[in-house]
């Protein structure tokens, strides 16, 4: 394991905040009050909340130590399939922190927010160009939120037609947010199976598409990393019965500058700025999930919308067919700034190269590891590829064991046990920002672990060994939830 | 997970296609999930049960059983009114893993029509269903 | 391009392993008629230095590029953010990590959010808080859905007319497709939600009241709790100014079943309205109905303490269409930020800041009254209040923005057309006595 990144080192224990607390400490520089104390009815006031009391260094050490227990993209390769853990450019942080953006109050008025509105308008144009659509909303706060917005627009569309539909087709490879978002709109998911080549067959859709089905939710490339080559025919079948095609754009990183979803039959598509467009993942957000639509669904976009009149930008709510509002203000503006900066830094060639190299990296991993791990679909892949633990079954080693041992080697494991269509799935998405050397180290690590599975399976069962904590008791956590300290 | 031949299947209960078991005792029917179901789920963390007095029709979903990574709905094989639920499961859901036919029972129901159980399977029929 | 490390040699040797001649061949599995034939029409790429110049110019078109005096609230608040907060949360290990799917290498995020959950329950007086939502509006919409789904008898939910107008719109967007409806509870001349009107409503699944409400006034939540108990329905409260509970009685002490809130005041920049921080808290009884992630404490195989995501069977990746919500990524880093803020201000700091917010707002109100403004409501408030403005104020307000970089309140007539010439004013700890005296002088 000499050339592997994972190694042991001194990190620090750190108690919970309230265990460090000592009465009388305060880490904030309290402003001096220059007005008199205003009394308030004691029926309205309560005791001060029991928050910890710490000095400034207490707080700084606390969070510095906590950070050392975490693994981020900046720590090492993070090939989490379907999450596109690409490098987060630091200049984007500088741009988002500019006072003119960070201090802007959302109700300042259009006249005094032209910088923000111009940025939003232009970002909408760029995303529309990249995806091949007419119009974009930047309001949804995350991918799942964008899915909900897309489904709500479809729902609003059928409402204007006078006849609401009750079902929506969802492939077995879909991300769990797809049926959840559809259900929130009152649609019953109709699950269909992918074909033997791992992609959808038109006949499957033709067999169940009818005039009570709102349409289909399709991810392209799908979560097996395969391009849905029959998409155009599938879209035609859905359209022929008056339905619409929802595109889950989480995997957009594979096709920028190669395919435009808007041109291949998709009516509405969400994007994940925290995936394809490099904004940081933040340990679970904040992200942003813009939605792009064609002419059919444009009237239903959320309000307010950014409108350009000559050289002026305005927020307009007067769109009678709008699906409504889904965020208190205009979406995650701070995230939009970062994505905008990224698109300007990359340009058309940069984004296209990013997709090509993402696909190259994934195919390189696929070909390098296919003898070591079982590859259920031995086909050219897009930006991610899916293996499983079939070869390791004879040693009673599972995908989970391999993932946990990868931690010791200094890699964040790929996505495991998703998509559900592959038992014991191991989904690798290197992204374009990983170099050949780092990927080679990852490949070597997986090969070494496969060797350990044969020679020393007990070690894998105990993994991870070098992390601050080892495998955690999730059963106890669920049986007796302890959600606060 | 267990091999089919290693499953613990009792002779004196009847089985449903969705892996529940039923046992008649006087005019009360006791229902639980069988060894195959608890084994497939893994360590059970939570059991969602209806309330006594609730009524259901045959085939209705009457609750769910959860492990860390999965949820399984449970379906009632006979119409009737719930007369008792196994309150021990609130603090010890693992009883379903440890003793699914005995201490891990789920509900007791007063049925409307016992003949609704006629289409349930006995042990051999259920085993054949699993194998086939 | 500096983010793309591949050299020509790298590409050549990798293509060989991948079994392709050139990069374009990697896309042979895509039918030709689906491919783009020309390049994307985007601006020429910018160097880091050109980008800086471009963004500086863009930011300068926002008045916020100058130091402006903000007397506006309405869901977005100006508060002091101590230097250690952006410093700590910008650490790569927090910022560039994702959802803690592998808890062994995510203990930083997990403990940080567990601490956040705990401090939120302390702040709100509730049993459980989730790991975050997008904003108060969406968290409140989710809370309303919980109440509606639990009550099989009716499809209506009562929501105060003094709940933030955007939040009411969001609730409608969320609940409408399932056939649910809002029944609005009107407000009284005291600028408070009308309890009597609520008592007369029979057919409702739950009650949602914001306090402090959109006018800044403090509601008597005990009266609404009583109604909820009588009708045997869920009682939901919401808030837009989290610092209020540094001073005011928290919603848990009034027996709220669910509380939705906005946490932007907890160390997060206004950033033109987002990302903020949605808070959602509940009683123990509602635990398994809560949408969103929950972090729990447990032990590892060696018996050491650790933290994990738990109760995941509520969530979309397991429950799919039966999930309590579709939420996946939330506002994680902002929840961490709020955690750092609450740890920084602590029990002493939050009390003092909350007191100062109230003191400044009261002084502002008195000063405006002396300047000839009419108080709209004779009701206690936290840091926002409504005034009826004298004739000519609009022009003065516009001039103040251009000449003195000061935003004097928010006009209410587009939200409440019946309140002509009424403005919502806000003062936080960032506003000085001098600022207030100056403002009063200008608008006299």
């Amino acid at each position: 394991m000499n050339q592997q990144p994972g190694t042991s080192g001194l990190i620090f224990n750190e108690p919970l905040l309230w265990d460090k607390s000592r009465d009388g400490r305060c880490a904030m520089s309290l402003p001096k009050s220059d007005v008199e104390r205003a009394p308030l009815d004691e029926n309205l006031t309560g005791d001060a909340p029991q928050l910890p009391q710490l000095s400034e260094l207490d707080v700084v050490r606390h969070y510095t130590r906590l950070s050392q227990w975490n693994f981020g993209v900046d720590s090492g390769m993070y090939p989490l399939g379907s999450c596109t853990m690409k490098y987060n450019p630091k200049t984007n942080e500088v741009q988002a922190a500019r006072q003119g953006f960070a201090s802007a109050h959302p109700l300042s008025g259009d006249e005094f927010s032209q910088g923000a509105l111009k940025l939003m308008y232009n970002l909408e144009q760029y995303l529309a160009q990249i995806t091949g659509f007419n119009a974009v909303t930047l309001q949804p706060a995350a991918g799942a939120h964008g899915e909900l917005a897309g489904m709500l627009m479809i729902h609003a569309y059928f409402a204007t037609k006078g006849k609401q539909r009750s079902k929506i087709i969802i492939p077995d490879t879909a991300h769990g947010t797809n049926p959840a978002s559809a259900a929130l709109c009152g649609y019953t998911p109709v699950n269909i199976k992918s074909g033997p080549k791992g992609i959808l067959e038109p006949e499957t859709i033709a067999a169940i598409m009818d005039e009570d089905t709102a349409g289909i939710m399709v991810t392209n490339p799908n979560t097996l990393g395969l391009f849905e080559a029959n998409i155009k025919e599938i879209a035609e079948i859905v359209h022929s019965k008056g339905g619409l095609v929802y595109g889950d754009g989480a995997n957009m990183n594979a096709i920028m500058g190669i395919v435009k979803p808007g041109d291949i039959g998709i009516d509405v598509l969400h994007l994940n700025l925290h995936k394809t467009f490099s904004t940081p993942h933040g340990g679970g957000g904040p992200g942003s999930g813009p939605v792009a639509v064609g002419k059919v669904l444009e009237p239903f976009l959320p309000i307010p919308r950014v409108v350009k009149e000559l050289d002026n930008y305005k927020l307009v709510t007067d769109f009678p067919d709008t699906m409504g509002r889904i965020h208190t203000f205009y979406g995650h503006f701070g995230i939009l700034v970062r994505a905008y900066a990224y698109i300007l830094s990359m340009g058309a060639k940069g984004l296209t190269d990013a997709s090509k190299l993402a696909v190259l990296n994934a195919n390189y991993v696929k070909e390098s590891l296919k003898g070591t791990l079982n590859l259920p679909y031995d086909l050219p892949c897009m930006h991610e590829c899916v293996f499983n633990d079939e070869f390791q079954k004879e040693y009673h080693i599972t995908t989970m064991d391999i993932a946990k041992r990868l931690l010791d080697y200094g890699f964040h494991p790929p996505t495991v046990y998703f998509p559900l269509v592959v038992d014991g799935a191991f989904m690798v998405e290197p992204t374009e920002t990983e170099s050949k050397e780092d990927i080679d180290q990852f490949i070597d690590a997986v090969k070494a672990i496969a060797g350990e599975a044969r020679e020393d399976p007990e070690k894998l069962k105990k993994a991870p060994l070098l992390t601050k904590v080892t495998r955690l008791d999730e059963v106890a956590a669920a049986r007796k939830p302890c959600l606060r300290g | 997970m267990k091999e089919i031949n290693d499953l613990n299947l009792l002779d004196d209960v009847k089985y449903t296609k969705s892996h529940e078991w039923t046992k008649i005792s006087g005019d009360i029917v006791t229902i639980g999930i069988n060894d195959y179901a608890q084994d497939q789920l893994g360590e059970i963390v939570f059991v969602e049960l209806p309330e006594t007095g609730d009524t259901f029709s045959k085939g209705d979903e009457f609750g769910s059983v959860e492990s860390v990574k999965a949820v399984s709905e449970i379906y009632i094989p006979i119409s009737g009114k719930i007369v008792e639920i196994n309150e021990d499961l609130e603090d010890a859901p693992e009883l379903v893993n440890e003793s699914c036919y005995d201490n891990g029972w789920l509900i007791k129901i007063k049925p409307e029509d016992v003949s609704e159980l006629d289409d349930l399977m006995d042990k051999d029929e259920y085993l054949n269903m699993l194998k086939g | 391009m500096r983010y793309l490390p591949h050299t020509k040699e790298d590409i050549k040797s990798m293509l060989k392993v991948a079994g392709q001649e050139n990069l374009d061949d990697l896309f042979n599995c895509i039918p030709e008629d689906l491919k783009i034939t020309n390049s994307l029409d985007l601006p020429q790429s910018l160097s880091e230095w050109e980008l800086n110049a471009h963004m500086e110019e863009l930011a300068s078109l926002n008045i916020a590029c100058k130091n402006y005096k903000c007397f506006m609230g309405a869901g977005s608040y100006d508060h002091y953010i101590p230097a250690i907060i952006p410093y700590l949360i910008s650490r790569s290990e927090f910022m560039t990590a994702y959802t803690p799917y592998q808890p062994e290498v995510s203990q930083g995020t997990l403990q940080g959010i567990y601490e956040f959950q705990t401090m939120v329950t302390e702040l709100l007086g509730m049993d459980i808080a989730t790991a975050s939502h997008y904003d108060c509006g969406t968290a409140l919409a989710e809370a309303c859905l919980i109440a509606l789904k639990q009550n099989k008898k009716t499809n209506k939910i009562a929501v105060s007319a003094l709940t933030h107008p955007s939040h009411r719109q969001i609730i409608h967007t969320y609940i409408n497709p399932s056939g649910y409806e809002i029944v609005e509870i009107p407000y009284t001349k005291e600028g408070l939600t009308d309890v009597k009107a609520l008592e007369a409503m029979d057919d409702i699944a739950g009650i949602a009241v914001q306090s402090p409400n959109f006018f800044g006034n403090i509601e008597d939540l005990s009266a609404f709790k009583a109604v909820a108990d009588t009708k045997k329905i869920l009682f939901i409260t919401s808030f837009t100014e989290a610092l209020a509970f540094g001073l005011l009685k928290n919603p848990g002490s009034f027996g709220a079943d669910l509380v939705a809130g906005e946490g932007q005041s907890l160390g997060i920049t206004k950033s033109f309205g987002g990302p903020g921080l949605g808070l959602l808290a509940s009683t123990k009884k509602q635990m398994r109905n809560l949408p969103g992630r929950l972090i729990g404490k447990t032990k590892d195989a060696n018996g050491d303490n650790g933290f994990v995501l738990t109760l995941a069977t509520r969530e979309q990746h397991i429950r799919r269409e039966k999930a309590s919500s579709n939420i996946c990524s939330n506002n994680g880093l902002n929840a961490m930020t709020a955690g750092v803020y609450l740890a920084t201000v602590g029990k002493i700091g939050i009390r003092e800041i909350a007191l100062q917010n109230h003191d400044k707002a009261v002084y502002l109100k008195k000063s405006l009254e002396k300047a000839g403004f009419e108080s709209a409501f004779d009701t206690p408030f936290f840091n926002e209040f409504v005034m009826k403005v004298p004739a000519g104020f609009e022009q003065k307000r516009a001039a103040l923005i251009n000449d003195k970089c000061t935003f004097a309140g928010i006009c209410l007539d587009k939200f409440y057309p019946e309140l002509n010439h009424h403005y919502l004013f806000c003062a936080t700890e960032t506003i000085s006595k001098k600022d207030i005296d100056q403002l009063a002088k200008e608008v006299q």
Side-chain angles (χ1 to χ4, degrees):
Chain A
M1 270 178 76
N2 303 13
Q3 283 112 343
Q4 288 302 319
T7 184
S8 62
L10 185 65
I11 56 168
F12 305 90
N13 277 321
E14 179 62 21
L16 292 160
L17 287 167
W18 36 94
D19 293 331
K20 276 174 78 127
S21 174
R22 295 288 181 269
D23 283 359
R25 289 184 184 159
C26 178
M28 184 175 188
S29 170
L30 292 174
K32 300 182 188 123
S33 186
D34 51 6
V35 298
E36 63 177 22
R37 190 103 298 173
L40 194 57
D41 188 336
E42 57 178 39
N43 284 326
L44 301 173
T45 57
D47 291 333
Q50 283 293 98
L51 296 178
Q53 301 180 58
L54 305 157
S55 72
E56 184 165 322
L57 183 54
D58 286 337
V59 176
V60 172
R61 262 196 197 140
H62 183 83
Y63 289 98
T64 302
R65 287 178 173 177
L66 256 54
S67 76
Q68 294 178 327
W69 306 342
N70 256 20
F71 186 109
V73 173
D74 287 0
S75 315
M77 184 170 163
Y78 206 129
L80 203 59
S82 267
C83 293
T84 312
M85 303 297 294
K86 65 170 77 180
Y87 170 67
N88 308 137
K90 307 317 174 197
T91 180
N92 296 354
E93 299 307 310
V94 169
Q95 312 313 335
R98 288 185 187 277
Q99 186 177 303
F101 296 136
S103 294
H105 192 290
L107 300 175
S108 305
D110 295 343
E111 194 188 329
F112 306 103
S113 316
Q114 288 294 296
L117 297 179
K118 185 174 183 186
L119 187 150
M120 287 170 67
Y121 182 85
N122 285 334
L123 179 60
E124 286 181 8
Q125 299 302 307
Y126 303 154
L127 294 177
Q129 168 63 213
I130 292 165
T131 56
F133 283 99
N134 280 56
V136 171
T137 173
L138 302 173
Q139 210 183 102
H145 208 210
E147 282 176 37
L148 178 61
M151 294 313 297
L152 285 169
M153 283 191 262
I154 291 176
H155 194 271
Y157 167 83
F158 283 111
T160 59
K161 292 263 173 250
K163 187 177 181 297
Q164 191 52 254
R165 300 192 177 196
S166 69
K167 300 176 284 179
I168 187 116
I169 303 170
I170 299 187
D172 53 1
T173 48
H175 193 276
T177 51
N178 286 181
S181 304
L184 277 168
C185 288
Y187 289 120
T188 306
V190 175
N191 297 313
I192 54 166
K193 287 199 188 323
S194 303
K197 294 210 189 88
I199 60 172
L200 296 170
E201 316 252 279
E203 302 79 63
T204 323
I205 285 95
I208 50 156
M209 181 63 205
D210 61 21
E211 270 151 34
D212 188 30
T213 304
I216 185 171
M217 296 179 85
V218 70
T219 309
N220 194 9
N222 67 26
T223 57
L224 289 167
L226 303 172
F227 188 82
E228 291 283 2
N230 298 318
I231 180 72
K232 220 167 183 184
E233 202 183 329
I234 290 169
E236 271 155 25
I237 294 168
V238 171
H239 290 148
S240 72
K241 298 277 187 195
L244 295 169
V245 180
Y246 178 88
D248 179 325
N251 290 336
M252 193 69 206
N253 206 45
I255 54 172
M256 291 190 287
I258 318 276
V259 176
K260 286 190 182 182
D263 292 341
I264 61 174
I266 293 172
D267 299 295
V268 48
L269 176 91
H270 88 265
L271 293 166
N272 301 64
L273 296 186
H274 47 294
K275 295 185 181 185
T276 316
F277 295 95
S278 87
T279 73
H281 286 85
S288 174
V291 179
V293 293
K295 285 204 163 71
V296 168
L297 289 176
E298 193 177 336
F300 306 99
L301 284 168
I303 46 107
R305 292 185 58 185
V306 185
V307 168
K308 185 177 180 183
E309 264 166 30
L310 295 175
D311 265 326
N312 237 321
Y313 300 89
K314 290 169 29 166
L315 286 166
V316 177
T317 55
D318 186 17
F319 288 96
D321 289 327
T322 178
M323 57 157 265
R325 185 188 283 268
I326 46 160
H327 187 262
T328 303
F329 297 111
Y330 321 116
H332 283 178
F333 180 75
I335 306 302
L336 303 178
V337 175
R338 292 165 167 96
Y340 176 83
Y342 176 72
I343 292 171
L344 288 183
S345 301
M346 298 296 276
K349 181 171 187 300
L351 292 176
T352 310
D353 284 346
S355 287
K356 289 181 180 175
L357 295 171
V359 172
L360 174 65
N361 279 357
N363 277 284
Y364 180 74
V365 170
K366 174 174 70 71
E367 289 303 307
S368 302
L369 283 179
K370 74 184 197 191
T372 309
L373 295 176
N374 179 45
L375 184 70
Y377 297 92
D378 193 354
L379 298 161
C381 65
M382 295 277 91
H383 66 311
E384 60 196 8
C385 55
V386 179
F387 298 93
N388 74 0
D389 52 6
E390 198 59 43
F391 293 169
Q392 284 68 34
K393 278 209 160 90
E394 58 176 307
Y395 313 110
H396 301 290
I397 290 298
T398 64
T399 290
M400 183 63 72
D401 299 325
I402 300 170
K404 298 302 184 192
R405 187 59 176 147
L406 260 172
L407 293 169
D408 289 331
Y409 279 74
F411 296 93
H412 192 283
T415 297
V416 294
Y417 299 100
F418 181 81
L420 303 171
V421 290
V422 171
D423 226 14
F426 186 87
M427 192 203 310
V428 183
E429 181 186 355
T431 83
E432 72 281 7
T433 56
E434 294 302 323
S435 69
K436 180 176 179 296
E437 300 82 67
D438 288 342
I439 296 176
D440 284 337
Q441 274 195 324
F442 173 76
I443 291 165
D444 288 343
V446 176
K447 287 182 173 168
I449 294 169
E452 287 178 338
R454 289 190 296 274
E455 315 290 321
D456 192 0
E458 278 316 299
K459 198 168 196 178
L460 298 195
K461 290 286 180 204
K462 292 206 179 88
L465 302 164
L466 291 178
T467 51
K468 183 177 183 290
V469 297
T470 187
R471 296 198 208 190
L472 292 148
D473 189 348
E474 297 188 0
V475 172
R479 279 189 185 153
K480 302 255 182 281
C482 173
L483 307 173
R484 50 160 300 177
Chain B
M1 289 196 247
K2 290 184 190 178
E3 299 290 332
I4 291 182
N5 294 324
D6 294 332
L7 288 173
N8 179 24
L9 298 172
L10 300 186
D11 290 309
D12 62 346
V13 304
K14 287 191 122 183
Y15 299 88
T16 68
K17 287 205 180 83
S18 43
H19 319 291
E20 292 91 9
W21 58 262
T22 65
K23 190 171 184 173
I24 305 175
S25 193
D27 61 350
I28 300 291
V29 176
T30 308
I31 300 169
I33 63 167
N34 68 30
D35 193 37
Y36 173 80
Q38 73 75 21
D39 182 56
Q40 287 289 308
L41 273 164
E43 294 189 70
I44 289 169
V45 301
F46 183 70
V47 182
E48 189 184 359
L49 294 174
E51 303 199 342
T52 48
D54 286 349
T55 53
F56 293 94
S57 303
K58 182 179 164 95
D60 282 350
E61 186 190 313
F62 72 94
S64 63
V65 184
E66 286 180 29
S67 64
V68 170
K69 297 272 190 262
V71 187
S72 226
E73 280 79 35
I74 34 183
Y75 300 95
I76 211 155
I78 188 167
S79 314
K81 190 187 229 185
I82 309 286
V83 295
E84 205 184 331
I85 61 170
N86 186 349
E87 311 223 334
D88 291 340
L89 297 180
E90 197 178 329
D91 284 325
E94 58 269 22
L95 284 171
V96 180
N97 292 119
E98 291 161 11
S99 169
C100 60
Y101 300 108
D102 191 3
N103 294 330
W105 63 276
L106 299 180
I107 56 166
K108 290 192 164 111
I109 185 168
K110 188 158 182 163
E112 289 161 20
D113 178 6
V114 189
S115 70
E116 279 183 331
L117 294 176
D118 289 349
D119 61 355
L120 265 58
M121 297 174 270
D122 65 20
K123 175 176 156 182
D124 292 323
E125 288 169 327
Y126 177 72
L127 264 170
N128 282 336
M129 184 201 85
L130 280 183
K131 286 178 184 164
Chain C
M1 206 285 156
R2 64 198 188 279
Y3 310 148
L4 304 174
H6 299 71
T7 63
K8 281 201 173 76
E9 289 72 37
D10 292 335
I11 294 175
K12 201 162 153 213
S13 52
M14 292 175 88
L15 278 171
K16 202 156 171 225
V17 171
Q20 302 289 0
E21 290 282 307
N22 53 52
L23 288 173
D24 289 332
D25 287 345
L26 290 166
F27 298 91
N28 287 345
C29 53
I30 301 180
E32 280 310 304
D33 63 324
L34 299 183
K35 289 185 195 162
I36 308 174
T37 43
N38 43 13
S39 21
L40 296 173
D41 181 15
L42 293 170
Q44 186 73 257
S45 65
L46 300 179
S47 71
E48 182 174 345
W49 327 113
E50 289 166 321
L51 180 68
N52 281 340
H54 174 90
M55 296 303 271
E56 183 158 340
E57 203 202 310
L58 206 52
S60 73
L61 298 176
N62 270 4
I63 199 163
C65 66
K66 303 187 210 158
N67 291 333
Y68 68 100
K69 295 287 167 214
C70 186
F71 291 93
M72 299 190 288
S76 179
Y77 303 95
D78 203 24
H79 291 291
Y80 287 135
I81 300 176
I84 62 172
I85 293 167
Y87 187 89
L88 289 167
I89 57 120
S90 71
R91 290 185 72 88
S92 277
E93 297 90 334
F94 290 137
M95 204 176 246
T96 70
Y98 200 17
T99 305
Y101 294 124
Q102 299 294 343
E104 297 88 343
V105 288
S106 317
Q107 290 297 298
T109 296
L110 288 165
Q111 180 168 326
I113 304 290
Y114 177 81
E115 290 169 336
F116 160 81
Q117 284 172 193
T118 306
M119 290 189 283
V120 170
T121 59
E122 283 298 341
L123 186 67
L124 304 180
M126 303 296 288
D127 296 325
I128 297 169
T130 68
S132 82
H133 297 265
Y134 312 131
D135 65 1
C136 178
T138 52
L140 181 56
E142 301 256 38
C144 290
L145 277 171
I146 293 175
L148 286 162
K149 283 186 193 165
Q150 267 177 42
N151 186 314
K152 314 281 182 199
K153 298 176 200 146
T154 172
N155 68 337
K156 299 193 184 54
I157 186 149
V159 179
S160 167
L162 298 182
T163 295
H164 195 296
S166 290
H167 298 174
R168 279 178 281 131
Q169 289 178 334
I170 295 169
I171 296 169
H172 175 81
T173 305
Y174 268 65
I175 69 178
N176 187 248
S178 303
Y180 298 126
E181 279 174 40
I182 296 177
V183 177
E184 222 165 73
I185 317 169
Y187 65 91
T188 64
K189 62 178 176 18
E190 280 83 32
L192 292 170
T193 309
D194 192 341
V195 191
K196 292 222 166 14
L198 174 64
E199 277 165 7
M201 293 178 185
D202 278 315
D203 199 27
I204 50 175
I207 304 170
V209 174
Q210 179 181 317
S211 181
N213 63 33
F214 188 70
F215 292 162
N217 298 331
I218 303 167
E219 299 273 1
D220 174 13
L221 293 178
S222 61
F224 297 97
K225 172 64 177 170
V227 177
D229 283 346
T230 312
K231 295 183 191 290
K232 294 201 193 347
I233 56 181
L234 288 186
F235 177 39
I236 302 167
T237 73
S238 64
F239 60 88
T240 53
E241 174 52 277
L243 289 175
F245 303 113
L247 177 60
L248 304 181
K249 272 205 176 110
N250 60 47
S253 62
F254 292 102
D257 295 297
L258 292 158
V259 179
E262 178 56 52
Q264 176 265 320
S265 294
L266 305 175
I268 297 164
T269 55
K270 298 189 293 295
S271 206
F272 203 55
L277 177 61
L279 302 172
L280 185 63
S282 78
T283 55
K284 216 166 168 197
K285 192 157 177 229
Q286 296 298 330
M287 180 172 73
R288 286 180 191 275
N289 297 321
L290 279 176
R293 295 200 172 133
L294 287 167
I295 312 245
K297 193 156 92 152
T298 187
K299 291 203 188 288
D300 78 353
N302 294 330
D304 293 324
N305 277 335
F307 302 92
V308 283
L309 288 170
T310 192
L311 299 182
T313 45
R314 296 160 303 122
E315 296 187 68
Q316 47 77 26
H317 57 290
I318 292 177
R319 216 75 189 237
R320 297 175 75 92
E321 63 266 15
K322 295 193 179 151
S324 50
S325 162
N326 70 344
I327 194 166
C328 186
S329 286
N330 40 87
N331 280 28
L333 194 65
N334 281 9
M336 278 298 275
T337 305
V340 183
Y341 180 86
L342 290 169
T344 303
V345 302
K347 183 174 176 181
I348 295 171
I350 200 171
R351 178 57 133 210
E352 183 56 30
I353 295 169
L355 282 167
Q356 285 192 27
N357 269 258
H358 179 67
D359 298 340
K360 308 270 186 172
V362 167
Y363 183 72
L364 174 64
K365 186 166 193 238
K366 287 192 179 135
S367 308
L368 290 174
E369 278 168 347
K370 284 201 191 111
F373 288 56
E374 202 184 307
S375 172
F377 308 112
D378 185 24
T379 310
F381 55 89
F382 177 61
N383 67 1
E384 293 183 88
F385 55 89
V386 180
M387 300 294 271
K388 187 162 183 200
V389 301
F393 173 72
E394 268 144 66
Q395 293 89 307
K396 286 189 186 152
R397 184 183 182 277
L400 273 170
I401 301 175
N402 289 305
D403 306 335
K404 297 282 164 74
C405 224
T406 299
F407 280 83
I410 294 170
C411 185
L412 283 186
D413 65 11
K414 73 170 189 277
F415 303 118
Y416 299 90
E418 68 276 13
L419 291 179
N420 239 324
H421 306 301
H422 284 68
Y423 278 69
L424 180 65
F425 288 91
C426 175
T428 68
E429 77 281 7
T430 61
I431 294 292
S432 70
K433 179 175 185 293
K434 193 165 151 214
D435 296 329
I436 295 173
D437 292 338
Q438 184 69 17
L439 175 69
K441 200 165 126 204
E442 298 281 349
V443 298
Q444 192 101 39

